[in-house]
Amino acid sequence: MTTESVLRDAANRAYVAAFLLSGSAERAEAAVLESIRLMNSDVASGEELFQGAVHAAIELEEICGQRVGELGLDSSTLPFELQCVLDLPQYPRQCLVLRVLVRLPRETCARLLRSELNQIDEGTHAGLLELRAIMDKRPSDHSGPQNARAVNSGTPVVRDSGTVEGDWML
């Protein structure tokens, strides 16, 4: 895979993660652009781009703090499950996205969200429970687009040890 295609793939993943974290297409774009701006062009990597966008999306969410439902987003381009993620309250949504979809360690999530480890576990668990409730209430037409690369073979579970089991990821 060429460097250009690796960076393109990382930018796509970064945008989807930033969109889910912030609930805003505009803030997701701003987060990816900020990550690109801060990248070291001599050793630019897809992982650096992705992590920078995730960090920027969280920072923008803290500054703006607007609820997803207030933004009038058209999330129809996302798979059904990711559309449901956008309906979660901010903190459980951020925990769920970072722990389950991005697969960051609890310690990294706690640092990014300025939280304690037990708060990350509780937020992730609450997000999973609320997500299941949201998915159960929505029409079961799962035939939407799959361009976000979300994989679902059952609802993820967070164990007492803080490990995440399941196949959802970005």
Side-chain angles (χ1 to χ4, degrees), residues 16-17 19-21 23 67-68 75 78-90 92-98 100-101 127-128 130-132 134-135 138 150 168:
V16 172
F19 180 74
L20 292 171
L21 286 167
R67 287 270 309 142
V68 174
S75 61
L78 295 173
F80 170 79
E81 295 84 358
L82 296 184
Q83 291 175 30
C84 293
V85 168
L86 288 171
D87 289 338
L88 293 171
Q90 177 186 355
R93 177 174 35 102
Q94 289 178 330
C95 290
L96 181 100
V97 169
L98 293 175
V100 177
L101 298 177
L128 288 168
E130 288 184 52
L131 180 61
R132 173 52 54 203
I134 290 167
M135 290 172 67
R138 281 211 174 164
W168 282 30

PDB file of all heavy atoms in Angstrom, residues 16-17 19-21 23 67-68 75 78-90 92-98 100-101 127-128 130-132 134-135 138 150 168:
ATOM      1  N   VAL A  16     -14.521   9.722  10.263  1.00  0.00           N
ATOM      2  CA  VAL A  16     -15.661   9.003  10.843  1.00  0.00           C
ATOM      3  C   VAL A  16     -15.573   9.029  12.367  1.00  0.00           C
ATOM      4  O   VAL A  16     -16.559   9.299  13.057  1.00  0.00           O
ATOM      5  CB  VAL A  16     -15.749   7.551  10.309  1.00  0.00           C
ATOM      6  CG1 VAL A  16     -16.809   6.756  11.061  1.00  0.00           C
ATOM      7  CG2 VAL A  16     -16.061   7.565   8.818  1.00  0.00           C
ATOM      8  N   ALA A  17     -14.392   8.764  12.920  1.00  0.00           N
ATOM      9  CA  ALA A  17     -14.228   8.796  14.373  1.00  0.00           C
ATOM     10  C   ALA A  17     -14.507  10.192  14.921  1.00  0.00           C
ATOM     11  O   ALA A  17     -15.218  10.340  15.927  1.00  0.00           O
ATOM     12  CB  ALA A  17     -12.825   8.348  14.762  1.00  0.00           C
ATOM     13  N   PHE A  19     -16.351  12.494  13.570  1.00  0.00           N
ATOM     14  CA  PHE A  19     -17.779  12.757  13.397  1.00  0.00           C
ATOM     15  C   PHE A  19     -18.572  12.121  14.536  1.00  0.00           C
ATOM     16  O   PHE A  19     -19.452  12.744  15.131  1.00  0.00           O
ATOM     17  CB  PHE A  19     -18.244  12.228  12.045  1.00  0.00           C
ATOM     18  CG  PHE A  19     -19.706  12.445  11.756  1.00  0.00           C
ATOM     19  CD1 PHE A  19     -20.180  13.703  11.437  1.00  0.00           C
ATOM     20  CD2 PHE A  19     -20.597  11.394  11.790  1.00  0.00           C
ATOM     21  CE1 PHE A  19     -21.529  13.911  11.169  1.00  0.00           C
ATOM     22  CE2 PHE A  19     -21.942  11.583  11.522  1.00  0.00           C
ATOM     23  CZ  PHE A  19     -22.409  12.852  11.206  1.00  0.00           C
ATOM     24  N   LEU A  20     -18.241  10.883  14.878  1.00  0.00           N
ATOM     25  CA  LEU A  20     -18.942  10.198  15.959  1.00  0.00           C
ATOM     26  C   LEU A  20     -18.628  10.820  17.319  1.00  0.00           C
ATOM     27  O   LEU A  20     -19.496  10.889  18.188  1.00  0.00           O
ATOM     28  CB  LEU A  20     -18.586   8.713  15.974  1.00  0.00           C
ATOM     29  CG  LEU A  20     -19.099   7.910  14.783  1.00  0.00           C
ATOM     30  CD1 LEU A  20     -18.496   6.512  14.783  1.00  0.00           C
ATOM     31  CD2 LEU A  20     -20.616   7.849  14.772  1.00  0.00           C
ATOM     32  N   LEU A  21     -17.408  11.272  17.503  1.00  0.00           N
ATOM     33  CA  LEU A  21     -17.038  11.900  18.774  1.00  0.00           C
ATOM     34  C   LEU A  21     -17.690  13.264  18.953  1.00  0.00           C
ATOM     35  O   LEU A  21     -18.144  13.605  20.036  1.00  0.00           O
ATOM     36  CB  LEU A  21     -15.516  12.045  18.876  1.00  0.00           C
ATOM     37  CG  LEU A  21     -14.749  10.758  19.135  1.00  0.00           C
ATOM     38  CD1 LEU A  21     -13.266  10.969  18.891  1.00  0.00           C
ATOM     39  CD2 LEU A  21     -15.003  10.275  20.560  1.00  0.00           C
ATOM     40  N   GLY A  23     -20.195  14.643  16.804  1.00  0.00           N
ATOM     41  CA  GLY A  23     -21.576  14.744  16.349  1.00  0.00           C
ATOM     42  C   GLY A  23     -21.783  15.824  15.314  1.00  0.00           C
ATOM     43  O   GLY A  23     -22.912  16.214  15.033  1.00  0.00           O
ATOM     44  N   ARG A  67     -25.215  19.551  21.544  1.00  0.00           N
ATOM     45  CA  ARG A  67     -25.769  18.200  21.411  1.00  0.00           C
ATOM     46  C   ARG A  67     -25.962  17.841  19.945  1.00  0.00           C
ATOM     47  O   ARG A  67     -26.312  18.675  19.132  1.00  0.00           O
ATOM     48  CB  ARG A  67     -27.126  18.099  22.122  1.00  0.00           C
ATOM     49  CG  ARG A  67     -27.042  18.085  23.596  1.00  0.00           C
ATOM     50  CD  ARG A  67     -26.904  16.713  24.186  1.00  0.00           C
ATOM     51  NE  ARG A  67     -27.909  15.819  23.665  1.00  0.00           N
ATOM     52  CZ  ARG A  67     -27.648  14.556  23.396  1.00  0.00           C
ATOM     53  NH1 ARG A  67     -26.480  14.060  23.598  1.00  0.00           N
ATOM     54  NH2 ARG A  67     -28.592  13.778  22.921  1.00  0.00           N
ATOM     55  N   VAL A  68     -25.790  16.564  19.647  1.00  0.00           N
ATOM     56  CA  VAL A  68     -25.932  16.064  18.279  1.00  0.00           C
ATOM     57  C   VAL A  68     -27.306  16.380  17.710  1.00  0.00           C
ATOM     58  O   VAL A  68     -27.435  16.837  16.594  1.00  0.00           O
ATOM     59  CB  VAL A  68     -25.682  14.540  18.235  1.00  0.00           C
ATOM     60  CG1 VAL A  68     -25.956  13.985  16.862  1.00  0.00           C
ATOM     61  CG2 VAL A  68     -24.262  14.241  18.646  1.00  0.00           C
ATOM     62  N   SER A  75     -27.079  11.890   8.924  1.00  0.00           N
ATOM     63  CA  SER A  75     -26.163  10.776   9.183  1.00  0.00           C
ATOM     64  C   SER A  75     -26.503   9.559   8.345  1.00  0.00           C
ATOM     65  O   SER A  75     -25.991   8.478   8.597  1.00  0.00           O
ATOM     66  CB  SER A  75     -26.196  10.414  10.667  1.00  0.00           C
ATOM     67  OG  SER A  75     -27.499  10.020  11.029  1.00  0.00           O
ATOM     68  N   LEU A  78     -24.044   6.857   7.104  1.00  0.00           N
ATOM     69  CA  LEU A  78     -23.412   5.910   8.029  1.00  0.00           C
ATOM     70  C   LEU A  78     -24.213   4.620   8.105  1.00  0.00           C
ATOM     71  O   LEU A  78     -25.422   4.625   7.914  1.00  0.00           O
ATOM     72  CB  LEU A  78     -23.335   6.513   9.430  1.00  0.00           C
ATOM     73  CG  LEU A  78     -22.449   7.736   9.617  1.00  0.00           C
ATOM     74  CD1 LEU A  78     -22.619   8.295  11.018  1.00  0.00           C
ATOM     75  CD2 LEU A  78     -21.004   7.384   9.347  1.00  0.00           C
ATOM     76  N   PRO A  79     -23.552   3.513   8.452  1.00  0.00           N
ATOM     77  CA  PRO A  79     -24.278   2.268   8.707  1.00  0.00           C
ATOM     78  C   PRO A  79     -25.256   2.468   9.870  1.00  0.00           C
ATOM     79  O   PRO A  79     -25.051   3.333  10.733  1.00  0.00           O
ATOM     80  CB  PRO A  79     -23.178   1.279   9.093  1.00  0.00           C
ATOM     81  CG  PRO A  79     -21.928   1.856   8.548  1.00  0.00           C
ATOM     82  CD  PRO A  79     -22.101   3.337   8.564  1.00  0.00           C
ATOM     83  N   PHE A  80     -26.271   1.644   9.930  1.00  0.00           N
ATOM     84  CA  PHE A  80     -27.325   1.729  10.939  1.00  0.00           C
ATOM     85  C   PHE A  80     -26.764   1.863  12.359  1.00  0.00           C
ATOM     86  O   PHE A  80     -27.174   2.720  13.130  1.00  0.00           O
ATOM     87  CB  PHE A  80     -28.226   0.480  10.836  1.00  0.00           C
ATOM     88  CG  PHE A  80     -29.207   0.328  11.956  1.00  0.00           C
ATOM     89  CD1 PHE A  80     -30.375   1.072  11.976  1.00  0.00           C
ATOM     90  CD2 PHE A  80     -28.958  -0.551  12.997  1.00  0.00           C
ATOM     91  CE1 PHE A  80     -31.285   0.939  13.009  1.00  0.00           C
ATOM     92  CE2 PHE A  80     -29.863  -0.698  14.030  1.00  0.00           C
ATOM     93  CZ  PHE A  80     -31.033   0.054  14.041  1.00  0.00           C
ATOM     94  N   GLU A  81     -25.811   0.998  12.716  1.00  0.00           N
ATOM     95  CA  GLU A  81     -25.265   0.993  14.070  1.00  0.00           C
ATOM     96  C   GLU A  81     -24.593   2.316  14.414  1.00  0.00           C
ATOM     97  O   GLU A  81     -24.717   2.806  15.535  1.00  0.00           O
ATOM     98  CB  GLU A  81     -24.260  -0.153  14.241  1.00  0.00           C
ATOM     99  CG  GLU A  81     -24.870  -1.529  14.121  1.00  0.00           C
ATOM    100  CD  GLU A  81     -25.004  -2.029  12.678  1.00  0.00           C
ATOM    101  OE1 GLU A  81     -24.656  -1.286  11.734  1.00  0.00           O
ATOM    102  OE2 GLU A  81     -25.462  -3.166  12.493  1.00  0.00           O
ATOM    103  N   LEU A  82     -23.860   2.891  13.461  1.00  0.00           N
ATOM    104  CA  LEU A  82     -23.182   4.160  13.726  1.00  0.00           C
ATOM    105  C   LEU A  82     -24.171   5.320  13.777  1.00  0.00           C
ATOM    106  O   LEU A  82     -23.950   6.288  14.500  1.00  0.00           O
ATOM    107  CB  LEU A  82     -22.090   4.412  12.697  1.00  0.00           C
ATOM    108  CG  LEU A  82     -20.946   3.404  12.703  1.00  0.00           C
ATOM    109  CD1 LEU A  82     -19.877   3.800  11.701  1.00  0.00           C
ATOM    110  CD2 LEU A  82     -20.358   3.227  14.086  1.00  0.00           C
ATOM    111  N   GLN A  83     -25.256   5.230  13.035  1.00  0.00           N
ATOM    112  CA  GLN A  83     -26.310   6.239  13.158  1.00  0.00           C
ATOM    113  C   GLN A  83     -26.856   6.230  14.578  1.00  0.00           C
ATOM    114  O   GLN A  83     -27.106   7.281  15.165  1.00  0.00           O
ATOM    115  CB  GLN A  83     -27.447   5.978  12.168  1.00  0.00           C
ATOM    116  CG  GLN A  83     -27.073   6.207  10.720  1.00  0.00           C
ATOM    117  CD  GLN A  83     -28.206   5.820   9.782  1.00  0.00           C
ATOM    118  OE1 GLN A  83     -29.368   5.916  10.135  1.00  0.00           O
ATOM    119  NE2 GLN A  83     -27.852   5.367   8.597  1.00  0.00           N
ATOM    120  N   CYS A  84     -27.018   5.047  15.141  1.00  0.00           N
ATOM    121  CA  CYS A  84     -27.523   4.917  16.512  1.00  0.00           C
ATOM    122  C   CYS A  84     -26.530   5.469  17.532  1.00  0.00           C
ATOM    123  O   CYS A  84     -26.929   6.040  18.547  1.00  0.00           O
ATOM    124  CB  CYS A  84     -27.847   3.459  16.825  1.00  0.00           C
ATOM    125  SG  CYS A  84     -29.240   2.816  15.857  1.00  0.00           S
ATOM    126  N   VAL A  85     -25.228   5.331  17.267  1.00  0.00           N
ATOM    127  CA  VAL A  85     -24.206   5.869  18.175  1.00  0.00           C
ATOM    128  C   VAL A  85     -24.390   7.376  18.328  1.00  0.00           C
ATOM    129  O   VAL A  85     -24.230   7.922  19.420  1.00  0.00           O
ATOM    130  CB  VAL A  85     -22.784   5.524  17.668  1.00  0.00           C
ATOM    131  CG1 VAL A  85     -21.716   6.311  18.420  1.00  0.00           C
ATOM    132  CG2 VAL A  85     -22.517   4.028  17.786  1.00  0.00           C
ATOM    133  N   LEU A  86     -24.756   8.048  17.250  1.00  0.00           N
ATOM    134  CA  LEU A  86     -24.927   9.500  17.306  1.00  0.00           C
ATOM    135  C   LEU A  86     -26.065   9.928  18.228  1.00  0.00           C
ATOM    136  O   LEU A  86     -26.099  11.075  18.675  1.00  0.00           O
ATOM    137  CB  LEU A  86     -25.160  10.067  15.905  1.00  0.00           C
ATOM    138  CG  LEU A  86     -23.935  10.079  14.997  1.00  0.00           C
ATOM    139  CD1 LEU A  86     -24.330  10.450  13.579  1.00  0.00           C
ATOM    140  CD2 LEU A  86     -22.881  11.031  15.535  1.00  0.00           C
ATOM    141  N   ASP A  87     -26.971   9.030  18.551  1.00  0.00           N
ATOM    142  CA  ASP A  87     -28.089   9.355  19.442  1.00  0.00           C
ATOM    143  C   ASP A  87     -27.712   9.250  20.922  1.00  0.00           C
ATOM    144  O   ASP A  87     -28.516   9.600  21.785  1.00  0.00           O
ATOM    145  CB  ASP A  87     -29.286   8.441  19.164  1.00  0.00           C
ATOM    146  CG  ASP A  87     -29.957   8.762  17.837  1.00  0.00           C
ATOM    147  OD1 ASP A  87     -29.786   9.890  17.341  1.00  0.00           O
ATOM    148  OD2 ASP A  87     -30.643   7.876  17.301  1.00  0.00           O
ATOM    149  N   LEU A  88     -26.518   8.765  21.222  1.00  0.00           N
ATOM    150  CA  LEU A  88     -26.087   8.641  22.613  1.00  0.00           C
ATOM    151  C   LEU A  88     -25.737  10.008  23.200  1.00  0.00           C
ATOM    152  O   LEU A  88     -25.267  10.898  22.479  1.00  0.00           O
ATOM    153  CB  LEU A  88     -24.848   7.742  22.710  1.00  0.00           C
ATOM    154  CG  LEU A  88     -25.031   6.278  22.366  1.00  0.00           C
ATOM    155  CD1 LEU A  88     -23.669   5.589  22.287  1.00  0.00           C
ATOM    156  CD2 LEU A  88     -25.924   5.599  23.384  1.00  0.00           C
ATOM    157  N   PRO A  89     -25.903  10.162  24.519  1.00  0.00           N
ATOM    158  CA  PRO A  89     -25.418  11.385  25.175  1.00  0.00           C
ATOM    159  C   PRO A  89     -23.903  11.498  25.000  1.00  0.00           C
ATOM    160  O   PRO A  89     -23.207  10.498  24.789  1.00  0.00           O
ATOM    161  CB  PRO A  89     -25.783  11.171  26.648  1.00  0.00           C
ATOM    162  CG  PRO A  89     -26.855  10.137  26.633  1.00  0.00           C
ATOM    163  CD  PRO A  89     -26.584   9.264  25.440  1.00  0.00           C
ATOM    164  N   GLN A  90     -23.385  12.707  25.130  1.00  0.00           N
ATOM    165  CA  GLN A  90     -21.989  13.000  24.815  1.00  0.00           C
ATOM    166  C   GLN A  90     -20.976  12.076  25.496  1.00  0.00           C
ATOM    167  O   GLN A  90     -20.171  11.443  24.818  1.00  0.00           O
ATOM    168  CB  GLN A  90     -21.659  14.452  25.169  1.00  0.00           C
ATOM    169  CG  GLN A  90     -20.201  14.805  24.939  1.00  0.00           C
ATOM    170  CD  GLN A  90     -19.853  16.195  25.424  1.00  0.00           C
ATOM    171  OE1 GLN A  90     -20.704  16.947  25.856  1.00  0.00           O
ATOM    172  NE2 GLN A  90     -18.586  16.534  25.356  1.00  0.00           N
ATOM    173  N   PRO A  92     -21.137   9.089  27.298  1.00  0.00           N
ATOM    174  CA  PRO A  92     -21.159   7.660  26.924  1.00  0.00           C
ATOM    175  C   PRO A  92     -20.792   7.441  25.454  1.00  0.00           C
ATOM    176  O   PRO A  92     -20.146   6.446  25.113  1.00  0.00           O
ATOM    177  CB  PRO A  92     -22.602   7.232  27.200  1.00  0.00           C
ATOM    178  CG  PRO A  92     -23.125   8.213  28.173  1.00  0.00           C
ATOM    179  CD  PRO A  92     -22.412   9.511  27.877  1.00  0.00           C
ATOM    180  N   ARG A  93     -21.170   8.369  24.583  1.00  0.00           N
ATOM    181  CA  ARG A  93     -20.823   8.259  23.157  1.00  0.00           C
ATOM    182  C   ARG A  93     -19.312   8.326  22.986  1.00  0.00           C
ATOM    183  O   ARG A  93     -18.710   7.516  22.276  1.00  0.00           O
ATOM    184  CB  ARG A  93     -21.512   9.378  22.362  1.00  0.00           C
ATOM    185  CG  ARG A  93     -21.166   9.399  20.893  1.00  0.00           C
ATOM    186  CD  ARG A  93     -21.981  10.441  20.130  1.00  0.00           C
ATOM    187  NE  ARG A  93     -22.259  11.630  20.884  1.00  0.00           N
ATOM    188  CZ  ARG A  93     -21.616  12.799  20.744  1.00  0.00           C
ATOM    189  NH1 ARG A  93     -20.672  12.925  19.862  1.00  0.00           N
ATOM    190  NH2 ARG A  93     -21.923  13.837  21.476  1.00  0.00           N
ATOM    191  N   GLN A  94     -18.672   9.287  23.652  1.00  0.00           N
ATOM    192  CA  GLN A  94     -17.224   9.419  23.535  1.00  0.00           C
ATOM    193  C   GLN A  94     -16.515   8.185  24.086  1.00  0.00           C
ATOM    194  O   GLN A  94     -15.574   7.685  23.468  1.00  0.00           O
ATOM    195  CB  GLN A  94     -16.742  10.675  24.257  1.00  0.00           C
ATOM    196  CG  GLN A  94     -17.137  11.949  23.549  1.00  0.00           C
ATOM    197  CD  GLN A  94     -16.700  13.184  24.301  1.00  0.00           C
ATOM    198  OE1 GLN A  94     -16.600  13.198  25.517  1.00  0.00           O
ATOM    199  NE2 GLN A  94     -16.452  14.247  23.566  1.00  0.00           N
ATOM    200  N   CYS A  95     -16.966   7.698  25.241  1.00  0.00           N
ATOM    201  CA  CYS A  95     -16.360   6.486  25.819  1.00  0.00           C
ATOM    202  C   CYS A  95     -16.525   5.307  24.877  1.00  0.00           C
ATOM    203  O   CYS A  95     -15.562   4.568  24.620  1.00  0.00           O
ATOM    204  CB  CYS A  95     -17.000   6.167  27.173  1.00  0.00           C
ATOM    205  SG  CYS A  95     -16.583   7.326  28.493  1.00  0.00           S
ATOM    206  N   LEU A  96     -17.726   5.118  24.353  1.00  0.00           N
ATOM    207  CA  LEU A  96     -17.999   4.000  23.460  1.00  0.00           C
ATOM    208  C   LEU A  96     -17.157   4.090  22.187  1.00  0.00           C
ATOM    209  O   LEU A  96     -16.545   3.102  21.760  1.00  0.00           O
ATOM    210  CB  LEU A  96     -19.486   3.960  23.091  1.00  0.00           C
ATOM    211  CG  LEU A  96     -19.852   2.811  22.168  1.00  0.00           C
ATOM    212  CD1 LEU A  96     -20.461   1.675  22.974  1.00  0.00           C
ATOM    213  CD2 LEU A  96     -20.806   3.261  21.104  1.00  0.00           C
ATOM    214  N   VAL A  97     -17.097   5.256  21.589  1.00  0.00           N
ATOM    215  CA  VAL A  97     -16.323   5.414  20.354  1.00  0.00           C
ATOM    216  C   VAL A  97     -14.851   5.131  20.614  1.00  0.00           C
ATOM    217  O   VAL A  97     -14.214   4.374  19.878  1.00  0.00           O
ATOM    218  CB  VAL A  97     -16.526   6.825  19.749  1.00  0.00           C
ATOM    219  CG1 VAL A  97     -15.521   7.094  18.638  1.00  0.00           C
ATOM    220  CG2 VAL A  97     -17.943   6.980  19.219  1.00  0.00           C
ATOM    221  N   LEU A  98     -14.303   5.707  21.673  1.00  0.00           N
ATOM    222  CA  LEU A  98     -12.875   5.542  21.938  1.00  0.00           C
ATOM    223  C   LEU A  98     -12.522   4.114  22.360  1.00  0.00           C
ATOM    224  O   LEU A  98     -11.532   3.553  21.890  1.00  0.00           O
ATOM    225  CB  LEU A  98     -12.419   6.529  23.015  1.00  0.00           C
ATOM    226  CG  LEU A  98     -12.467   8.003  22.610  1.00  0.00           C
ATOM    227  CD1 LEU A  98     -12.116   8.880  23.802  1.00  0.00           C
ATOM    228  CD2 LEU A  98     -11.551   8.288  21.432  1.00  0.00           C
ATOM    229  N   VAL A 100     -14.546   1.164  22.177  1.00  0.00           N
ATOM    230  CA  VAL A 100     -15.059   0.044  21.386  1.00  0.00           C
ATOM    231  C   VAL A 100     -14.715   0.188  19.906  1.00  0.00           C
ATOM    232  O   VAL A 100     -14.238  -0.756  19.286  1.00  0.00           O
ATOM    233  CB  VAL A 100     -16.584  -0.111  21.588  1.00  0.00           C
ATOM    234  CG1 VAL A 100     -17.140  -1.213  20.718  1.00  0.00           C
ATOM    235  CG2 VAL A 100     -16.900  -0.365  23.057  1.00  0.00           C
ATOM    236  N   LEU A 101     -14.942   1.347  19.330  1.00  0.00           N
ATOM    237  CA  LEU A 101     -14.707   1.499  17.897  1.00  0.00           C
ATOM    238  C   LEU A 101     -13.247   1.786  17.568  1.00  0.00           C
ATOM    239  O   LEU A 101     -12.706   1.253  16.611  1.00  0.00           O
ATOM    240  CB  LEU A 101     -15.598   2.611  17.335  1.00  0.00           C
ATOM    241  CG  LEU A 101     -17.100   2.366  17.458  1.00  0.00           C
ATOM    242  CD1 LEU A 101     -17.881   3.563  16.938  1.00  0.00           C
ATOM    243  CD2 LEU A 101     -17.509   1.108  16.737  1.00  0.00           C
ATOM    244  N   GLY A 127     -22.919   3.505  27.622  1.00  0.00           N
ATOM    245  CA  GLY A 127     -23.072   3.706  26.182  1.00  0.00           C
ATOM    246  C   GLY A 127     -23.536   2.447  25.476  1.00  0.00           C
ATOM    247  O   GLY A 127     -24.401   2.497  24.599  1.00  0.00           O
ATOM    248  N   LEU A 128     -22.973   1.301  25.859  1.00  0.00           N
ATOM    249  CA  LEU A 128     -23.385   0.029  25.253  1.00  0.00           C
ATOM    250  C   LEU A 128     -24.836  -0.294  25.571  1.00  0.00           C
ATOM    251  O   LEU A 128     -25.598  -0.723  24.693  1.00  0.00           O
ATOM    252  CB  LEU A 128     -22.477  -1.104  25.719  1.00  0.00           C
ATOM    253  CG  LEU A 128     -21.059  -1.096  25.150  1.00  0.00           C
ATOM    254  CD1 LEU A 128     -20.180  -2.088  25.896  1.00  0.00           C
ATOM    255  CD2 LEU A 128     -21.068  -1.395  23.663  1.00  0.00           C
ATOM    256  N   GLU A 130     -27.253   1.852  26.439  1.00  0.00           N
ATOM    257  CA  GLU A 130     -28.122   2.815  25.750  1.00  0.00           C
ATOM    258  C   GLU A 130     -28.152   2.549  24.251  1.00  0.00           C
ATOM    259  O   GLU A 130     -29.201   2.695  23.610  1.00  0.00           O
ATOM    260  CB  GLU A 130     -27.659   4.244  26.028  1.00  0.00           C
ATOM    261  CG  GLU A 130     -27.936   4.695  27.444  1.00  0.00           C
ATOM    262  CD  GLU A 130     -27.568   6.144  27.677  1.00  0.00           C
ATOM    263  OE1 GLU A 130     -28.026   7.008  26.896  1.00  0.00           O
ATOM    264  OE2 GLU A 130     -26.819   6.398  28.634  1.00  0.00           O
ATOM    265  N   LEU A 131     -27.017   2.168  23.692  1.00  0.00           N
ATOM    266  CA  LEU A 131     -26.962   1.861  22.266  1.00  0.00           C
ATOM    267  C   LEU A 131     -27.884   0.695  21.931  1.00  0.00           C
ATOM    268  O   LEU A 131     -28.630   0.738  20.952  1.00  0.00           O
ATOM    269  CB  LEU A 131     -25.531   1.547  21.831  1.00  0.00           C
ATOM    270  CG  LEU A 131     -25.335   1.218  20.358  1.00  0.00           C
ATOM    271  CD1 LEU A 131     -25.746   2.391  19.472  1.00  0.00           C
ATOM    272  CD2 LEU A 131     -23.883   0.827  20.100  1.00  0.00           C
ATOM    273  N   ARG A 132     -27.853  -0.356  22.755  1.00  0.00           N
ATOM    274  CA  ARG A 132     -28.733  -1.508  22.525  1.00  0.00           C
ATOM    275  C   ARG A 132     -30.188  -1.067  22.573  1.00  0.00           C
ATOM    276  O   ARG A 132     -30.994  -1.469  21.747  1.00  0.00           O
ATOM    277  CB  ARG A 132     -28.444  -2.598  23.577  1.00  0.00           C
ATOM    278  CG  ARG A 132     -29.394  -3.772  23.575  1.00  0.00           C
ATOM    279  CD  ARG A 132     -29.603  -4.468  22.231  1.00  0.00           C
ATOM    280  NE  ARG A 132     -28.395  -4.897  21.610  1.00  0.00           N
ATOM    281  CZ  ARG A 132     -28.269  -5.105  20.291  1.00  0.00           C
ATOM    282  NH1 ARG A 132     -29.289  -4.950  19.485  1.00  0.00           N
ATOM    283  NH2 ARG A 132     -27.133  -5.479  19.779  1.00  0.00           N
ATOM    284  N   ILE A 134     -31.418   1.937  21.972  1.00  0.00           N
ATOM    285  CA  ILE A 134     -31.692   2.765  20.787  1.00  0.00           C
ATOM    286  C   ILE A 134     -31.877   1.875  19.560  1.00  0.00           C
ATOM    287  O   ILE A 134     -32.812   2.064  18.779  1.00  0.00           O
ATOM    288  CB  ILE A 134     -30.550   3.775  20.558  1.00  0.00           C
ATOM    289  CG1 ILE A 134     -30.567   4.853  21.654  1.00  0.00           C
ATOM    290  CG2 ILE A 134     -30.650   4.414  19.172  1.00  0.00           C
ATOM    291  CD1 ILE A 134     -29.313   5.714  21.699  1.00  0.00           C
ATOM    292  N   MET A 135     -30.995   0.891  19.397  1.00  0.00           N
ATOM    293  CA  MET A 135     -31.082   0.000  18.239  1.00  0.00           C
ATOM    294  C   MET A 135     -32.365  -0.821  18.265  1.00  0.00           C
ATOM    295  O   MET A 135     -32.965  -1.082  17.217  1.00  0.00           O
ATOM    296  CB  MET A 135     -29.854  -0.908  18.181  1.00  0.00           C
ATOM    297  CG  MET A 135     -28.589  -0.160  17.831  1.00  0.00           C
ATOM    298  SD  MET A 135     -27.088  -1.153  17.971  1.00  0.00           S
ATOM    299  CE  MET A 135     -27.339  -2.322  16.650  1.00  0.00           C
ATOM    300  N   ARG A 138     -35.332   1.452  17.060  1.00  0.00           N
ATOM    301  CA  ARG A 138     -35.326   1.906  15.670  1.00  0.00           C
ATOM    302  C   ARG A 138     -35.819   0.825  14.733  1.00  0.00           C
ATOM    303  O   ARG A 138     -35.672  -0.361  15.014  1.00  0.00           O
ATOM    304  CB  ARG A 138     -33.912   2.296  15.254  1.00  0.00           C
ATOM    305  CG  ARG A 138     -33.511   3.653  15.758  1.00  0.00           C
ATOM    306  CD  ARG A 138     -32.566   4.235  14.779  1.00  0.00           C
ATOM    307  NE  ARG A 138     -32.254   5.597  15.122  1.00  0.00           N
ATOM    308  CZ  ARG A 138     -31.231   6.229  14.607  1.00  0.00           C
ATOM    309  NH1 ARG A 138     -30.442   5.620  13.760  1.00  0.00           N
ATOM    310  NH2 ARG A 138     -31.006   7.471  14.922  1.00  0.00           N
ATOM    311  N   ALA A 150     -17.563   0.003   9.605  1.00  0.00           N
ATOM    312  CA  ALA A 150     -17.904  -0.555  10.914  1.00  0.00           C
ATOM    313  C   ALA A 150     -18.205  -2.030  10.735  1.00  0.00           C
ATOM    314  O   ALA A 150     -18.824  -2.435   9.764  1.00  0.00           O
ATOM    315  CB  ALA A 150     -19.121   0.147  11.495  1.00  0.00           C
ATOM    316  N   TRP A 168     -16.752  -4.764  16.854  1.00  0.00           N
ATOM    317  CA  TRP A 168     -17.001  -3.425  16.302  1.00  0.00           C
ATOM    318  C   TRP A 168     -15.686  -2.674  16.269  1.00  0.00           C
ATOM    319  O   TRP A 168     -14.921  -2.705  17.204  1.00  0.00           O
ATOM    320  CB  TRP A 168     -17.966  -2.665  17.172  1.00  0.00           C
ATOM    321  CG  TRP A 168     -19.397  -3.038  17.011  1.00  0.00           C
ATOM    322  CD1 TRP A 168     -19.893  -4.246  16.670  1.00  0.00           C
ATOM    323  CD2 TRP A 168     -20.509  -2.187  17.211  1.00  0.00           C
ATOM    324  NE1 TRP A 168     -21.261  -4.206  16.653  1.00  0.00           N
ATOM    325  CE2 TRP A 168     -21.658  -2.952  16.981  1.00  0.00           C
ATOM    326  CE3 TRP A 168     -20.644  -0.864  17.577  1.00  0.00           C
ATOM    327  CZ2 TRP A 168     -22.926  -2.423  17.085  1.00  0.00           C
ATOM    328  CZ3 TRP A 168     -21.909  -0.338  17.699  1.00  0.00           C
ATOM    329  CH2 TRP A 168     -23.033  -1.111  17.438  1.00  0.00           C
TER     330      TRP A 168
END
